[in-house]
Amino acid sequence: MAYQFTDSFDHYNTAFLQAGSMWETILGVPTISTAYARFPAIGSYPNQGVSLWASSYPQGMRKNLKSNQASLIAFLSYGAAGALPSTGYIGIVSLLDAGTCQITLAVTPTGALQFVNYAGTPIGPASANALIAPSTVPNHGIEIAVTIDGAAGSVKCWLDGAVVIALTTGLNTQHSANAYANQIQVGVQSGNFGMGGGGGVLTDYVRVWDTTGSYQNAPVGHDVRCLTKLPQGAGALTQWTANGAASDWDCVNDASPDGDTTYVSSSALNSDSYAMGSSGLSGVPSQVVVKSYVRKDDGATRTLQIGVRSGSSNGLGSAATLGSSYQWVDGCISVDPATSSPPTAAAADAFQHLKYEAS
């Protein structure tokens, strides 16, 4: 699977983010708000973003990816919070190897985009000037494709669906002992590279994938937005026990997880699915991701698979072994289980969220 990570910032609040429940490393005090959503909400679906900016210090978030990868693709919505840098660069998104920055896409004082290394040395050409201006909301979609290598590295960058840094090869994009990255970072972390004073990052969508697998393993090449769905009703399978609310779907539809207040539970090989409501999707989705926030409460070995139910067919990801503390389990569903082909807009809109206790 090419999927590595995605976050829409729609399914938890500021306190949850700052506690590090989704991103392993948090610098500063990022703030989640509906004011930082890039597009208007669709119906009643949640719609919010995060501000990684404060006048007195830099802010950033770092996430461990699922595997070491030499070639990675990332998309994020982006707004230049506060101001452009007075000198040097302000980091937008970085790829790292266990804390060592391999490469960063940054904004310059002239509003250009530039790949740089950890010391602020340019890697490849810069974009045209005046592409980026200070903003109070995420107002751009940025996609990057990077290959990490000491001599044969490459970079490419799209802004709002247009190529602004053409594919450039034969670069040194490796600055650790390894020709790969296994972390993504949004915003600025201290010690990455020299930066000028100024602002930070506004975003409401971050996505990372790689070039492996058979599906969704290449740059999208156009602008995208993310739609987050929460359960709105009972699905076809209702085998888990509701706790704290009358129905299973009402236990798991919180905009921000409430832990042991409302939840569903199972101690056998049971399945639960939830109707997610129709949003009127018309474009073929570039990615469908399901997430659950789960833990075990006994000493047995417990594993969970999550996925989607399409009609009467189930599509499940790999089994995740659970611990006694809450953790996110996620997975990308690259094909419609009813057709074994990438989902159409109508099929994806009708998917039910599915969870299965595998042991």
Side-chain angles (χ1 to χ4, degrees):
M1 293 292 293
Y3 172 75
Q4 289 285 336
F5 174 68
T6 193
D7 192 357
S8 66
F9 307 95
D10 292 327
H11 47 292
Y12 55 84
N13 57 25
T14 294
F16 194 93
L17 172 62
Q18 292 177 357
S21 299
M22 177 66 74
W23 299 72
E24 283 87 1
T25 303
I26 301 291
L27 178 69
V29 285
T31 303
I32 288 179
S33 170
T34 57
Y36 306 131
R38 183 182 179 197
F39 298 107
I42 296 176
S44 60
Y45 293 103
N47 192 43
Q48 55 191 23
V50 63
S51 172
L52 297 166
W53 177 76
S55 58
S56 58
Y57 46 79
Q59 299 192 55
M61 309 178 301
R62 186 179 297 175
K63 175 65 181 180
N64 297 333
L65 302 180
K66 295 180 180 297
S67 59
N68 302 325
Q69 293 292 333
S71 294
L72 285 165
I73 309 159
F75 179 93
L76 78 160
S77 65
Y78 169 65
L84 298 182
S86 55
T87 60
Y89 306 94
I90 290 178
I92 299 172
V93 58
S94 305
L95 298 173
L96 306 93
D97 169 26
T100 298
C101 181
Q102 303 281 39
I103 191 169
T104 294
L105 180 71
V107 62
T108 74
T110 61
L113 295 172
Q114 172 73 69
F115 287 99
V116 298
N117 68 10
Y118 68 96
T121 302
I123 299 175
S127 74
N129 293 328
L131 295 181
I132 305 298
S135 175
T136 58
V137 294
N139 57 353
H140 293 292
I142 290 177
E143 185 175 23
I144 62 171
V146 174
T147 295
I148 307 298
D149 191 89
S154 65
V155 298
K156 189 174 183 179
C157 178
W158 294 255
L159 180 69
D160 303 329
V163 175
V164 295
I165 299 176
L167 176 64
T168 309
T169 60
L171 301 175
N172 178 12
T173 56
Q174 179 182 338
H175 300 285
S176 75
N178 305 305
Y180 56 70
N182 48 36
Q183 295 174 317
I184 186 172
Q185 177 179 289
V186 178
V188 175
Q189 294 274 11
S190 60
N192 269 8
F193 53 84
M195 58 167 279
V201 172
L202 301 165
T203 186
D204 70 350
Y205 180 33
V206 177
R207 169 183 167 184
V208 194
W209 64 111
D210 59 61
T211 58
T212 66
S214 302
Y215 300 97
Q216 301 173 354
N217 57 359
V220 176
H222 56 77
D223 203 3
V224 296
R225 70 168 294 179
C226 181
L227 172 66
T228 299
K229 289 186 169 187
L230 299 174
Q232 295 187 0
L237 303 171
T238 55
Q239 298 173 351
W240 288 44
T241 301
N243 299 270
S247 57
D248 57 352
W249 69 269
D250 200 24
C251 291
V252 294
N253 67 343
D254 307 290
S256 190
D258 63 3
D260 291 347
T261 301
T262 58
Y263 61 97
V264 292
S265 60
S266 173
S267 58
L269 305 183
N270 292 326
S271 297
D272 234 18
S273 66
Y274 316 109
M276 309 301 285
S278 175
S279 63
L281 287 177
S282 59
V284 176
S286 63
Q287 183 185 61
V288 176
V289 173
V290 289
K291 295 192 177 190
S292 288
Y293 192 56
V294 292
R295 73 176 181 91
K296 69 172 186 174
D297 62 0
D298 61 17
T301 298
R302 301 290 183 183
T303 61
L304 180 75
Q305 291 176 266
I306 61 171
V308 299
R309 184 173 177 86
S310 177
S312 60
S313 299
N314 297 334
L316 291 164
S318 300
T321 301
L322 305 185
S324 56
S325 297
Y326 276 104
Q327 67 189 77
W328 287 101
V329 175
D330 64 350
C332 180
I333 306 304
S334 58
V335 298
D336 182 341
T339 65
S340 299
S341 297
T344 64
D349 206 18
F351 281 166
Q352 295 181 9
H353 180 104
L354 174 68
K355 61 166 61 76
Y356 169 65
E357 183 179 1
S359 65

